[in-house]
Amino acid sequence: MEKSYKQYLAQISTLIFDVDGVLTNGMVTVMPDGQLVRQMNIKDGYALKTAVDCGLRICIISGGKNEGVRTRLKNLGIQDIYLGAHDKIEQYHELSDMYGLQTENVLYMGDDIPDVPVMKLVGLPCCPNDAAPEIQQISKYISNKNGGEGCVRDIIEQVLRVQGKWDGNFDAKYD
């Protein structure tokens, strides 16, 4: 019998997220100079900062190259940020080697086909509610929130609650 996704939450120590379609809604505004502007959910930011402060390893692997995204994530305390990653499995193996990651301790949230190879390797593959059908098929947890609309907060809060680290009395600065 397949384990419920909730049975994986207690042992998660590393959470890896895609950016576009997970931390954002996947939409970009094209500025006159060609710059692509994204929006991120402040509640996802709070959850990311809280997770870092609670000792969880947060990593980002994204095909996008926006340095504004890197700045935002670094300001939340995230150290492992891979942008411009077209073959995400390479960055996953680098992280795994660097930290000695164990499959059962890793959660990955992605939303589209480039996320499939990594999602097949981790203990808890997750996705937003509006992820591609192929991603939903391989996910052990599908958030009820869409990308950029709180799906990251949703899964982080669940992990922290199960691990007894979410008590509502946080002093984290996240903006």
Side-chain angles (χ1 to χ4, degrees):
M1 183 175 153
E2 178 67 25
K3 287 169 56 171
S4 161
Y5 82 93
K6 289 186 180 257
Q7 294 175 288
Y8 293 88
L9 299 178
Q11 58 198 25
I12 297 298
S13 59
T14 300
L15 296 90
I16 305 172
F17 297 98
D18 179 27
V19 174
D20 293 319
V22 174
L23 283 164
T24 76
N25 66 2
M27 302 292 287
V28 293
T29 301
V30 182
M31 303 304 287
D33 65 358
Q35 183 180 358
L36 303 178
V37 178
R38 294 157 172 84
Q39 290 184 328
M40 292 184 164
N41 188 303
I42 200 75
K43 291 178 182 171
D44 286 345
Y46 177 78
L48 288 164
K49 174 70 172 138
T50 301
V52 168
D53 291 348
C54 287
L56 294 176
R57 180 178 296 110
I58 303 292
C59 308
I60 304 297
I61 304 176
S62 175
K65 299 178 185 176
N66 186 293
E67 288 302 314
V69 169
R70 182 186 311 276
T71 300
R72 166 72 176 144
L73 296 171
K74 278 194 168 290
N75 287 340
L76 296 172
I78 300 169
Q79 300 301 312
D80 297 301
I81 303 169
Y82 295 90
L83 301 182
H86 298 294
D87 183 8
K88 296 181 179 192
I89 200 80
E90 186 178 318
Q91 283 74 27
Y92 175 75
H93 285 307
E94 184 177 320
L95 286 165
S96 184
D97 292 345
M98 188 177 351
Y99 296 115
L101 300 181
Q102 300 298 310
T103 301
E104 63 273 9
N105 304 128
V106 181
L107 176 154
Y108 183 98
M109 183 175 267
D111 73 305
D112 212 343
I113 304 303
D115 300 306
V116 168
V118 177
M119 291 179 75
K120 287 184 171 182
L121 293 180
V122 302
L124 185 53
C126 303
C127 69
N129 190 50
D130 59 346
E134 296 87 348
I135 298 299
Q136 291 188 13
Q137 287 177 340
I138 62 171
S139 291
K140 291 181 180 169
Y141 175 68
I142 301 172
S143 175
N144 65 350
K145 306 282 187 187
N146 287 342
E149 297 179 8
C151 63
V152 171
R153 163 74 177 253
D154 171 38
I155 194 62
I156 290 175
E157 185 175 335
Q158 288 188 63
V159 169
L160 291 174
R161 282 186 187 280
V162 165
Q163 295 181 7
K165 298 175 181 174
W166 186 273
D167 64 8
N169 293 321
F170 298 113
D171 294 323
K173 294 179 182 148
Y174 63 93
D175 48 16

